[in-house]
């Protein structure tokens, strides 16, 4: 059993294959975090509790109760009692008070991992057990249940929190975070890693020292966002890619979030993650429940790389449900960068014809096929095929594409409404807005209030009808603006603060309907590029568009940052035309292919305008995709060198689980004069195995490839890449 309770020390011990998490009930009331790290034997529990060093417990030393509160390693700290660090939980009573204390009440252990109602979450059968600890507010009478999912096959422990109003008064939840971790600062100090960026620059890694005070990464945009990301790692300052203690926290949620560290007067660090309390309140009447989303906690004693591989394994096997997660996805060609809004049936069929001959397997028709949509100024919400563009209708187009041997995919943006649309003219009140102010536009559009059932039914039924009308194999679900002017006419005045979270729940409900109604559909989420690339969306779609920036060099940093948490099998990555539309850069066609092969792979260009050489390259690349994709999708990912750090070259590899094969992607970004080769030390191989490099005669030991390395030469010029295939000899 992965979860044990020791009655004599009132201690809970949670064990994954290589990690232990310890909780203890102190002074018969307070739930504290004792330890999280490498596996420990059961025998050390009493020493770790250090009760003899803790004379401050309130039952012994009531006069210093606040000193205890302000220094205790709370598992779930509350606001207002005199713990002056940031709280994970805050309520407001109907009388306006904001003080509460949660005391230990009881526990239960259940086998398996129950789903969270209405929310995405990791799932497991026999590979996990769940510990539910109930805390109670003794004076206000409500309960909080913290659930711990403990995996037996991967080093992950999930936490989620449910509030049940067992009192006879309404309470207002103002903050319900999902996970808190406490760290005593090691001598070397502690750092944090977060992911940041902007449109076309998503998920750049940022590592910094955890200094005194609070440091956070957050969103109040209604989605996870391009700018910050629902991920946080806390690591010892001497940890690197392959060594040292690293704690990763990843939020399985797609809306407003906060990920924060706080270093206090005693050099103790509290790390927290959950729904951003800014803009959040939730009215909980007697008898009602509130379920906060799940945070996945991962501890690695072998550096950042092992943390990433643990997240990859967990998300591949215990989060993504789509049957496509275990399959090679069809190589697609998307017409967005080829045509933007200017296309018709003939143009799309020209693209499909050219694509069919070079190994491409699906045509995706992007934005612009519906209503009067000839630019991004209008028509969102009018999901009726524009037959001036699609002469003959959608079914005709899809059938013709199918006849060429290609599948067909389509773009939607179901959550949005353009002021210049028939939908808005009929239902101006369907947009999210407050009653006293004209809402601000972004990309000339407003957001539909999908928290209202009639609105989300309309939006969903539009998608449903189109999908039923033709043989559509794939949907790209886009979302091109973030939320503002938060207000819903369907919510009471004391519930307006619920809208952000209700919006996310409504989105999840729509996507659940979609994948239930169309179980064979391949769904790709997208948000103005990669603004909703998060673990929550992966529960619904096995792949997410990583960024609108398709430049191979920009993608090195974006994809490495994304792969810090998410498996390569989830990253929408395409080869596009040069000069690149985001940065104007020219890179070799080969390099663009190598970089996109680290993701789901496809094309985003006007294939009818390519040279014979480029068409031949596509034939090679589509063959390479089939050759390597099983390995890329299922293997272990290693960061060998990061261009973001060294400003010269980038190198990653994927190693088969049985270490029989690896593919190494190397890109020399900037050419360097008078340097003839670059030494690369491979990772993750079996030092005792003998390997060969495809295309070479000789063999190498795994030890030599990893500890001595190989020289990569012949890289004259900028942006040149290599794909190196290593096979067991
Ligand atoms: C943003 C997406 O990221 C693009 O790929 C494209 O689908 C546009 N939206 C269409 O409006």
């Amino acid at each position: 059993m992965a979860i044990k309770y020791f009655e004599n020390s009132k201690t809970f011990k949670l064990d994954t294959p290589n990690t232990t998490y310890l909780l203890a009930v102190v002074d018969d009331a307070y739930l504290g975090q004792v330890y999280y790290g490498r596996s420990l034997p059961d025998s050390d529990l009493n020493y770790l509790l250090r009760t003899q060093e803790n004379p401050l417990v309130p039952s012994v030393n009531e006069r210093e109760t606040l000193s205890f509160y302000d220094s205790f390693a709370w598992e779930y700290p509350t606001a207002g009692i005199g713990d002056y660090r940031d709280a994970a939980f805050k309520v407001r009573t109907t009388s306006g008070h904001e003080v509460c204390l949660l005391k230990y009440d009881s526990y239960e252990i259940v086998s398996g991992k129950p789903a969270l109602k209405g929310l995405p979450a990791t799932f497991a059968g026999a590979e996990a057990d769940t510990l539910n600890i109930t805390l109670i507010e003794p004076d206000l009478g409500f309960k909080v249940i913290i659930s711990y999912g403990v995996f037996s096959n991967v080093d992950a422990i999930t936490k989620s929190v449910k509030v049940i109003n067992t009192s006879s008064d309404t309470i207002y939840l103002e903050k319900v975070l999902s996970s808190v971790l406490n760290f005593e600062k090691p001598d070397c100090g502690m750092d944090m890693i977060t992911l940041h960026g902007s449109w076309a620059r998503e998920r750049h890694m940022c590592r910094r020292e955890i200094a005194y005070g609070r440091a956070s990464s957050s969103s109040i945009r209604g989605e996870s966002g391009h700018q910050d990301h629902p991920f946080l790692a806390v690591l010892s300052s001497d940890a690197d890619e392959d060594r040292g203690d690293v704690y990763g926290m990843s939020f399985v949620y797609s809306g407003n979030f906060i990920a924060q560290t706080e270093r206090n007067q005693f050099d103790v660090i509290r790390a927290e993650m959950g729904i951003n309390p800014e803009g959040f309140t939730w009215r909980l009447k007697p008898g009602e429940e509130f379920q906060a989303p799940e945070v996945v906690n991962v501890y690695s004693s072998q550096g950042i790389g092992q943390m990433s591989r643990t997240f990859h394994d967990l998300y591949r096997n215990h989060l993504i449900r789509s049957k496509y997660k275990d399959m090679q996805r069809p190589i697609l060609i998307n017409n967005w960068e080829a045509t933007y809004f200017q296309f018709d049936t003939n143009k799309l069929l020209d693209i499909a014809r050219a694509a069919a001959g070079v190994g491409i397997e699906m045509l995706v028709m992007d934005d612009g096929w519906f209503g009067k949509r000839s630019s991004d100024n209008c028509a969102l919400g009018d999901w009726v095929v524009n037959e001036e563009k699609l002469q003959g209708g959608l079914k005709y187009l899809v059938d013709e594409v199918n006849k060429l041997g290609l599948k067909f995919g389509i773009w939607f943006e179901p959550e949005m409404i353009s002021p210049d649309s028939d939908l808005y003219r009929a239902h101006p009140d369907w947009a999210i807005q407050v009653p006293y102010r004209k809402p601000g536009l972004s990309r000339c559009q407003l957001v539909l209030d999908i928290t209202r059932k009639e609105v989300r039914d309309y939006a969903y039924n539009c998608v449903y009808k189109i999908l039923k009308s033709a043989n559509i194999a794939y949907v790209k679900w886009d979302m091109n603006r973030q939320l503002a002017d938060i207000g819903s006419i369907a919510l009471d005045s004391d519930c307006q603060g619920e809208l952000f979270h209700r919006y996310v729940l409504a989105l999840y409900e729509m996507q659940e309907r979609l994948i239930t109604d169309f179980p064979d559909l391949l769904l790709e989420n997208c948000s103005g590029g990669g603004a909703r690339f998060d673990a929550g969306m992966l529960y619904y779609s096995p792949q997410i568009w990583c960024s609108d920036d398709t430049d191979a060099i920009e993608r090195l940093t974006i994809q490495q940052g994304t792969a810090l948490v998410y498996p390569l099998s989830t990253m929408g990555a395409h080869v596009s035309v040069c000069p690149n539309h985001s940065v104007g850069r020219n890179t070799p066609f080969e390099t663009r292919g190598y970089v996109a092969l680290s993701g789901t792979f496809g094309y985003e260009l006007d294939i009818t305008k390519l040279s014979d050489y480029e068409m031949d390259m596509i034939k090679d690349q589509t063959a390479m995709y089939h050759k390597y994709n099983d390995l890329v999708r299922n293997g272990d990912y290693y960061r060998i060198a990061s261009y973001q750090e060294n400003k010269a070259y980038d190198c990653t590899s994927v190693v088969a689980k049985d270490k029989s094969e690896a593919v190494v992607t190397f890109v020399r970004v900037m050419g360097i004069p008078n340097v003839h080769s670059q030494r690369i030390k491979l990772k993750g191989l079996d030092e005792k195995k003998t390997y060969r490099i495809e295309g070479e005669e000789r063999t190498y030991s795994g030890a030599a490839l990893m500890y001595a390395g190989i020289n990569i030469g012949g890289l004259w010029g900028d942006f040149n890449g290599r794909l190196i295939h290593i096979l067991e000899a």
Side-chain angles (χ1 to χ4, degrees), residues 636-649:
D636 285 331
Y637 171 78
Y638 289 86
R639 277 177 291 273
I640 296 172
S642 161
Y643 162 62
Q644 196 192 3
E645 283 167 16
N646 65 31
K647 304 292 173 224
Y649 63 97

PDB file of all heavy atoms in Angstrom, residues 636-649:
ATOM      1  N   ASP A 636      12.094   8.658 -23.775  1.00  0.00           N
ATOM      2  CA  ASP A 636      12.514   9.559 -22.694  1.00  0.00           C
ATOM      3  C   ASP A 636      13.261  10.742 -23.291  1.00  0.00           C
ATOM      4  O   ASP A 636      14.198  10.564 -24.090  1.00  0.00           O
ATOM      5  CB  ASP A 636      13.440   8.811 -21.728  1.00  0.00           C
ATOM      6  CG  ASP A 636      12.665   7.846 -20.850  1.00  0.00           C
ATOM      7  OD1 ASP A 636      11.478   8.117 -20.572  1.00  0.00           O
ATOM      8  OD2 ASP A 636      13.244   6.819 -20.451  1.00  0.00           O
ATOM      9  N   TYR A 637      12.896  11.916 -22.860  1.00  0.00           N
ATOM     10  CA  TYR A 637      13.414  13.155 -23.447  1.00  0.00           C
ATOM     11  C   TYR A 637      14.586  13.685 -22.616  1.00  0.00           C
ATOM     12  O   TYR A 637      14.494  13.741 -21.381  1.00  0.00           O
ATOM     13  CB  TYR A 637      12.266  14.157 -23.469  1.00  0.00           C
ATOM     14  CG  TYR A 637      12.619  15.569 -23.834  1.00  0.00           C
ATOM     15  CD1 TYR A 637      12.840  15.938 -25.160  1.00  0.00           C
ATOM     16  CD2 TYR A 637      12.694  16.561 -22.854  1.00  0.00           C
ATOM     17  CE1 TYR A 637      13.135  17.249 -25.488  1.00  0.00           C
ATOM     18  CE2 TYR A 637      12.984  17.869 -23.184  1.00  0.00           C
ATOM     19  CZ  TYR A 637      13.209  18.203 -24.501  1.00  0.00           C
ATOM     20  OH  TYR A 637      13.500  19.501 -24.824  1.00  0.00           O
ATOM     21  N   TYR A 638      15.664  14.075 -23.296  1.00  0.00           N
ATOM     22  CA  TYR A 638      16.840  14.632 -22.598  1.00  0.00           C
ATOM     23  C   TYR A 638      17.221  15.975 -23.224  1.00  0.00           C
ATOM     24  O   TYR A 638      17.347  16.071 -24.444  1.00  0.00           O
ATOM     25  CB  TYR A 638      18.037  13.678 -22.716  1.00  0.00           C
ATOM     26  CG  TYR A 638      17.863  12.420 -21.896  1.00  0.00           C
ATOM     27  CD1 TYR A 638      17.189  11.322 -22.424  1.00  0.00           C
ATOM     28  CD2 TYR A 638      18.333  12.345 -20.586  1.00  0.00           C
ATOM     29  CE1 TYR A 638      16.995  10.172 -21.669  1.00  0.00           C
ATOM     30  CE2 TYR A 638      18.144  11.200 -19.825  1.00  0.00           C
ATOM     31  CZ  TYR A 638      17.471  10.120 -20.370  1.00  0.00           C
ATOM     32  OH  TYR A 638      17.272   8.991 -19.620  1.00  0.00           O
ATOM     33  N   ARG A 639      17.425  16.968 -22.376  1.00  0.00           N
ATOM     34  CA  ARG A 639      18.000  18.240 -22.841  1.00  0.00           C
ATOM     35  C   ARG A 639      19.515  18.124 -22.704  1.00  0.00           C
ATOM     36  O   ARG A 639      20.037  17.878 -21.617  1.00  0.00           O
ATOM     37  CB  ARG A 639      17.509  19.406 -21.968  1.00  0.00           C
ATOM     38  CG  ARG A 639      16.146  19.957 -22.351  1.00  0.00           C
ATOM     39  CD  ARG A 639      15.716  21.050 -21.388  1.00  0.00           C
ATOM     40  NE  ARG A 639      15.428  20.483 -20.093  1.00  0.00           N
ATOM     41  CZ  ARG A 639      14.235  19.982 -19.736  1.00  0.00           C
ATOM     42  NH1 ARG A 639      13.225  20.023 -20.569  1.00  0.00           N
ATOM     43  NH2 ARG A 639      14.066  19.466 -18.542  1.00  0.00           N
ATOM     44  N   ILE A 640      20.214  18.287 -23.809  1.00  0.00           N
ATOM     45  CA  ILE A 640      21.675  18.147 -23.784  1.00  0.00           C
ATOM     46  C   ILE A 640      22.340  19.522 -23.808  1.00  0.00           C
ATOM     47  O   ILE A 640      23.287  19.783 -23.083  1.00  0.00           O
ATOM     48  CB  ILE A 640      22.138  17.254 -24.962  1.00  0.00           C
ATOM     49  CG1 ILE A 640      21.562  15.840 -24.765  1.00  0.00           C
ATOM     50  CG2 ILE A 640      23.658  17.228 -25.066  1.00  0.00           C
ATOM     51  CD1 ILE A 640      21.773  14.891 -25.929  1.00  0.00           C
ATOM     52  N   ALA A 641      21.828  20.411 -24.639  1.00  0.00           N
ATOM     53  CA  ALA A 641      22.363  21.786 -24.659  1.00  0.00           C
ATOM     54  C   ALA A 641      21.222  22.721 -25.032  1.00  0.00           C
ATOM     55  O   ALA A 641      20.372  22.374 -25.853  1.00  0.00           O
ATOM     56  CB  ALA A 641      23.482  21.903 -25.680  1.00  0.00           C
ATOM     57  N   SER A 642      21.239  23.886 -24.418  1.00  0.00           N
ATOM     58  CA  SER A 642      20.149  24.818 -24.664  1.00  0.00           C
ATOM     59  C   SER A 642      20.675  26.089 -25.324  1.00  0.00           C
ATOM     60  O   SER A 642      21.544  26.775 -24.768  1.00  0.00           O
ATOM     61  CB  SER A 642      19.472  25.168 -23.339  1.00  0.00           C
ATOM     62  OG  SER A 642      18.739  26.354 -23.481  1.00  0.00           O
ATOM     63  N   TYR A 643      20.135  26.401 -26.488  1.00  0.00           N
ATOM     64  CA  TYR A 643      20.525  27.626 -27.196  1.00  0.00           C
ATOM     65  C   TYR A 643      20.176  28.862 -26.367  1.00  0.00           C
ATOM     66  O   TYR A 643      20.908  29.855 -26.367  1.00  0.00           O
ATOM     67  CB  TYR A 643      19.817  27.655 -28.558  1.00  0.00           C
ATOM     68  CG  TYR A 643      19.776  29.007 -29.196  1.00  0.00           C
ATOM     69  CD1 TYR A 643      20.953  29.666 -29.539  1.00  0.00           C
ATOM     70  CD2 TYR A 643      18.564  29.643 -29.461  1.00  0.00           C
ATOM     71  CE1 TYR A 643      20.926  30.921 -30.123  1.00  0.00           C
ATOM     72  CE2 TYR A 643      18.524  30.888 -30.044  1.00  0.00           C
ATOM     73  CZ  TYR A 643      19.706  31.529 -30.371  1.00  0.00           C
ATOM     74  OH  TYR A 643      19.671  32.758 -30.938  1.00  0.00           O
ATOM     75  N   GLN A 644      19.087  28.764 -25.590  1.00  0.00           N
ATOM     76  CA  GLN A 644      18.704  29.909 -24.759  1.00  0.00           C
ATOM     77  C   GLN A 644      19.835  30.233 -23.770  1.00  0.00           C
ATOM     78  O   GLN A 644      20.066  31.383 -23.427  1.00  0.00           O
ATOM     79  CB  GLN A 644      17.420  29.583 -23.988  1.00  0.00           C
ATOM     80  CG  GLN A 644      16.744  30.819 -23.402  1.00  0.00           C
ATOM     81  CD  GLN A 644      15.637  30.468 -22.396  1.00  0.00           C
ATOM     82  OE1 GLN A 644      15.396  29.310 -22.092  1.00  0.00           O
ATOM     83  NE2 GLN A 644      14.981  31.485 -21.881  1.00  0.00           N
ATOM     84  N   GLU A 645      20.557  29.187 -23.346  1.00  0.00           N
ATOM     85  CA  GLU A 645      21.638  29.412 -22.372  1.00  0.00           C
ATOM     86  C   GLU A 645      22.976  29.710 -23.044  1.00  0.00           C
ATOM     87  O   GLU A 645      23.675  30.637 -22.662  1.00  0.00           O
ATOM     88  CB  GLU A 645      21.813  28.169 -21.490  1.00  0.00           C
ATOM     89  CG  GLU A 645      20.744  28.049 -20.432  1.00  0.00           C
ATOM     90  CD  GLU A 645      20.729  26.675 -19.775  1.00  0.00           C
ATOM     91  OE1 GLU A 645      21.707  25.918 -19.916  1.00  0.00           O
ATOM     92  OE2 GLU A 645      19.709  26.364 -19.126  1.00  0.00           O
ATOM     93  N   ASN A 646      23.330  28.910 -24.067  1.00  0.00           N
ATOM     94  CA  ASN A 646      24.700  29.065 -24.588  1.00  0.00           C
ATOM     95  C   ASN A 646      24.784  29.970 -25.815  1.00  0.00           C
ATOM     96  O   ASN A 646      25.883  30.273 -26.276  1.00  0.00           O
ATOM     97  CB  ASN A 646      25.317  27.678 -24.883  1.00  0.00           C
ATOM     98  CG  ASN A 646      24.575  26.954 -25.998  1.00  0.00           C
ATOM     99  OD1 ASN A 646      24.028  27.567 -26.915  1.00  0.00           O
ATOM    100  ND2 ASN A 646      24.559  25.631 -25.951  1.00  0.00           N
ATOM    101  N   LYS A 647      23.641  30.379 -26.350  1.00  0.00           N
ATOM    102  CA  LYS A 647      23.566  31.307 -27.494  1.00  0.00           C
ATOM    103  C   LYS A 647      24.287  30.798 -28.737  1.00  0.00           C
ATOM    104  O   LYS A 647      24.601  31.568 -29.647  1.00  0.00           O
ATOM    105  CB  LYS A 647      24.125  32.698 -27.131  1.00  0.00           C
ATOM    106  CG  LYS A 647      23.461  33.334 -25.934  1.00  0.00           C
ATOM    107  CD  LYS A 647      22.012  33.694 -26.242  1.00  0.00           C
ATOM    108  CE  LYS A 647      21.269  34.186 -25.032  1.00  0.00           C
ATOM    109  NZ  LYS A 647      19.945  33.672 -24.848  1.00  0.00           N
ATOM    110  N   ALA A 648      24.576  29.520 -28.814  1.00  0.00           N
ATOM    111  CA  ALA A 648      25.297  29.014 -29.978  1.00  0.00           C
ATOM    112  C   ALA A 648      24.643  27.780 -30.595  1.00  0.00           C
ATOM    113  O   ALA A 648      24.507  27.706 -31.808  1.00  0.00           O
ATOM    114  CB  ALA A 648      26.739  28.693 -29.601  1.00  0.00           C
ATOM    115  N   TYR A 649      24.242  26.841 -29.768  1.00  0.00           N
ATOM    116  CA  TYR A 649      23.676  25.618 -30.346  1.00  0.00           C
ATOM    117  C   TYR A 649      22.700  24.984 -29.374  1.00  0.00           C
ATOM    118  O   TYR A 649      22.674  25.296 -28.185  1.00  0.00           O
ATOM    119  CB  TYR A 649      24.785  24.622 -30.720  1.00  0.00           C
ATOM    120  CG  TYR A 649      25.579  24.132 -29.539  1.00  0.00           C
ATOM    121  CD1 TYR A 649      25.277  22.922 -28.927  1.00  0.00           C
ATOM    122  CD2 TYR A 649      26.639  24.879 -29.041  1.00  0.00           C
ATOM    123  CE1 TYR A 649      26.010  22.469 -27.836  1.00  0.00           C
ATOM    124  CE2 TYR A 649      27.364  24.442 -27.945  1.00  0.00           C
ATOM    125  CZ  TYR A 649      27.052  23.243 -27.348  1.00  0.00           C
ATOM    126  OH  TYR A 649      27.757  22.813 -26.262  1.00  0.00           O
TER     127      TYR A 649
END
